[in-house]
Amino acid sequence: MQWRPHDFRRIFVTDAVRSGLPPHIAAKICGHSTVDTTIGYAAIYPEDVITHHRAFIARRRAQRPGEEYRDLTAAEWDEFLAHFELRKVALGTCGRDYGTPCAHENACVRCRLLRVDPHQLPRLEEIHANLADRLQEAKEQGWLGEVAAIETTMAAATQKLDAMRTAGNATVHLGMPDTRPAAGRSRAS
Ligand code: SF4
């Protein structure tokens, strides 16, 4: 028997779906534009796997409130996208949970949720230098109430700078997710 590359594709799909992978996910992995193409692997693909999977989905949907399966309204979609817009900050991206407000009074330099954009290294260095100046001034002027706060912020900035310099070119900034092209939607401006 002679094996062709396409045979391994069929074997993969069959094995994955038999192991419980939903056919529409298999279709995505294979690059099929419709699940029908995936189902077309019928020669080696047991129809009852699809039947059972569809029955499972039907049972699951029957048990869930119907409104969970309605289309999103334009306002809901805009609200979803707006969350990611609101996570853009000067130094990079805020990593807080979806739908939650800033819990740290926008003190991003101190915040562990900040994902610093490597391109903003000079900005962070500038902030660090500015903090050093402010710390010196506070000490000289006897503004002891500010010293501890500035030192805390400086320590956080130093830690972030060290992490960025250590990571060097290994850091890959993935940017903000943009689901609009994939979803075929656009946001009203
Ligand atoms: S302080 Fe933290 S939670 Fe708030 S915006 Fe900055 S990174 Fe996000």
Side-chain angles (χ1 to χ4, degrees), residues 86-89 93-96 100-115:
L86 290 173
R87 295 208 311 187
K88 293 178 184 173
V89 293
T93 305
C94 168
R96 68 178 182 268
T100 61
C102 168
H104 302 108
E105 299 176 342
N106 294 93
C108 298
V109 174
R110 290 191 191 190
C111 185
R112 65 180 174 78
L113 296 176
L114 175 68
R115 308 283 178 264

Side-chain angles (χ1 to χ4, degrees), residues 66-107:
E67 57 266 29
E68 288 188 6
Y69 294 96
R70 64 176 172 76
D71 286 338
L72 288 178
T73 65
E76 287 169 333
W77 184 248
D78 279 351
E79 183 186 317
F80 175 75
L81 295 177
H83 169 78
F84 297 101
E85 299 293 331
L86 290 173
R87 295 208 311 187
K88 293 178 184 173
V89 293
L91 284 171
T93 305
C94 168
R96 68 178 182 268
D97 291 340
Y98 175 78
T100 61
C102 168
H104 302 108
E105 299 176 342
N106 294 93

Side-chain angles (χ1 to χ4, degrees), residues 142-162:
W143 300 334
L144 300 185
E146 290 214 12
V147 170
I150 297 172
E151 285 179 338
T152 301
T153 307
M154 268 193 78
T158 302
Q159 184 267 328
K160 285 181 169 61
L161 281 171
D162 288 346

Side-chain angles (χ1 to χ4, degrees), residues 167-181:
N169 292 332
T171 301
V172 177
H173 183 58
L174 298 177
M176 296 293 293
D178 187 350
T179 56
R180 279 166 278 186

